[in-house]
Amino acid sequence: MKIGIIGASGYTGSELLRLLTLHPKVEVVAASSRRFEGKKIWEVHRFLKGFYDLEFCKPEDSKFSECDLVFTAVPHGEAMNYVPKLLDLGIKVVDLSADYRLPKEIYEKVYGKKHLHYVEAVFGIPELHREEIRRAKLVANPGCYSTVSILALAPLAKLELIENAVLDCKSGITGAGESPSDFTHYPNLHESIVVYKVTDHRHYYEILQELRRLQEDIRVHFTPQVFPGSRGILANAHVFLRGELKREELRKIYEDFYKDCYFIRLQDEVKLIQVRGSNFCDIAIFKGESRVVVVAAIDNMVKGASGQAIQNMNLMLGFDETLGLRVPPMFP
Ligand SMILES: NC(=O)c1ccc[n+]([C@@H]2O[C@H](COP(=O)([O-])OP(=O)(O)OC[C@H]3O[C@@H](n4cnc5c(N)ncnc54)[C@H](OP(=O)(O)O)[C@@H]3O)[C@@H](O)[C@H]2O)c1
């Protein structure tokens, strides 16, 4: 099948290009970059030399209209200018931006801008919405923090066991995209951990939306941080439960919830390095005196973005969900 990527010069775009080289049933026929239009993909993404002969084109190029599915890997507020046009042409879309993750009114409030081209989408976590994704024309791929946080808490929320949960999350700096800024500047981050948007990060609304679908009265609190590494998100979810449960009982709840989910691995311990470069989400559960700690890790560029987008693509195009994604993590 023919695939297009709008925003192929950015981080998630180049990660889509990297991962799709491993997919046996699709071919990338259109990849956009306004800055690098006319250049070969490998001239910009040197690490992909030998894999693509394709040139970057404009996002408006007619090659996109020949695609079966297009990924929009552009900033929020920009995807909405492309997605409805693609849908009108009968092309399926996986949008990696935030433009279709929230209801219109909430999006406008949280992102502080008018949504000019709103359409309903399915929230793209296959472990929660597999059947709806199979039927979807538009999938809103979740944020990276949202993915790991929702996966960490969903099994407990489904049983309405959570009184309160505190999500303490640490991300590598690729989560901020490829444009340099003060925030990503090496001396500002090196040998440091930076806490930011302490109580009002935008992903909070996605986390709440999805967890409330499982447990209406859930209370969650989320604080993001960045560490001086390129990839990965580690979430420590401190959970204050309703009632008492033994560690084995907790583990059984997770085993049952994720029994058909290849990309969720229950571990006794979790390290970011165990998931690097892969679409896995590793989860470990610990029982303290007054709280349960669920530790979860993903690669923000893979399960937190492009890998999950391909997982969604597989479902939408009728392939096995794991096709092209059964890649072991890079270790060390
Ligand atoms: N990085 C992550 O870990 C991550 C995780 C989950 C979700 N996301 C989301 O995924 C999207 C892409 O993120 P990223 O990290 O890949 O960003 P990025 O590295 O900044 O890349 C953005 C891409 O979008 C293109 N672009 C920018 N404005 C455009 C426009 N108006 N029309 C067409 N193309 C445009 C840029 O290419 P040209 O300027 O060359 O055209 C570039 O290729 C964002 O919405 C982000 O929030 C990112």
Side-chain angles (χ1 to χ4, degrees), residues 234 236 247 251 265-275 281-286 293-297 331:
L234 187 81
N236 291 323
R247 189 179 177 213
R251 172 113 185 175
R265 302 191 301 188
L266 297 184
Q267 300 270 18
D268 290 331
E269 60 174 50
V270 164
K271 292 178 184 153
L272 273 185
I273 196 76
Q274 283 167 200
V275 295
C281 173
D282 278 8
I283 298 179
I285 304 141
F286 301 88
V293 185
V294 183
V295 183
F331 184 87

Side-chain angles (χ1 to χ4, degrees), residues 6-13 32-36 59 72-76 78 81-82 96-98 101 141-144 174-179 203 300-301 304-305:
I6 297 184
S9 61
Y11 280 164
T12 58
S32 92
S33 168
R34 297 158 312 157
R35 286 169 299 163
F36 302 113
T72 43
V74 300
H76 68 264
E78 304 297 339
N81 297 320
Y82 300 104
L96 281 82
S97 88
R101 294 177 195 157
N141 218 56
C144 43
T174 52
E178 52 115 37
S179 296
H203 288 180
N300 61 297
M301 299 264 283

Side-chain angles (χ1 to χ4, degrees), residues 93-203:
V93 179
V94 179
D95 176 35
L96 281 82
S97 88
D99 283 1
Y100 295 94
R101 294 177 195 157
L102 299 167
K104 185 171 183 284
E105 325 72 69
I106 300 180
Y107 173 89
E108 291 184 345
K109 192 165 149 244
V110 173
Y111 287 86
K113 59 174 73 190
K114 279 248 161 260
H115 203 309
L116 302 173
H117 307 284
Y118 188 76
V119 272
E120 296 253 330
V122 176
F123 195 81
I125 294 197
E127 288 74 12
L128 298 188
H129 302 299
R130 188 172 285 121
E131 293 314 313
E132 292 154 271
I133 294 168
R134 274 191 224 283
R135 296 189 297 270
K137 302 271 184 277
L138 170 61
V139 165
N141 218 56
C144 43
Y145 285 120
S146 322
T147 296
V148 71
S149 302
I150 294 162
L151 291 173
L153 294 179
L156 298 176
K158 178 86 183 2
L159 296 175
E160 305 195 345
L161 287 170
I162 300 176
E163 187 63 50
N164 242 309
V166 179
L167 288 155
D168 175 88
C169 297
K170 297 178 185 67
S171 172
I173 197 61
T174 52
E178 52 115 37
S179 296
S181 67
D182 261 9
F183 191 58
T184 63
H185 190 45
Y186 182 78
N188 293 348
L189 193 59
H190 175 59
E191 293 178 352
S192 187
I193 292 188
V194 180
V195 58
Y196 67 109
K197 297 185 180 158
V198 179
T199 58
D200 62 352
H201 192 284
R202 287 158 168 174
H203 288 180

Side-chain angles (χ1 to χ4, degrees), residues 206-247:
E206 296 169 34
I207 296 168
L208 200 61
Q209 164 180 287
E210 289 304 299
L211 292 175
R212 280 207 175 143
R213 282 181 177 160
L214 299 167
Q215 180 181 336
E216 221 177 315
D217 63 349
I218 196 167
R219 285 190 292 169
V220 271
H221 317 273
F222 163 57
T223 295
Q225 294 144 81
V226 283
F227 66 87
S230 51
R231 285 170 181 256
I233 300 192
L234 187 81
N236 291 323
H238 303 270
V239 189
F240 301 90
L241 286 180
R242 287 180 182 154
E244 266 300 307
L245 283 169
K246 297 196 184 82
R247 189 179 177 213

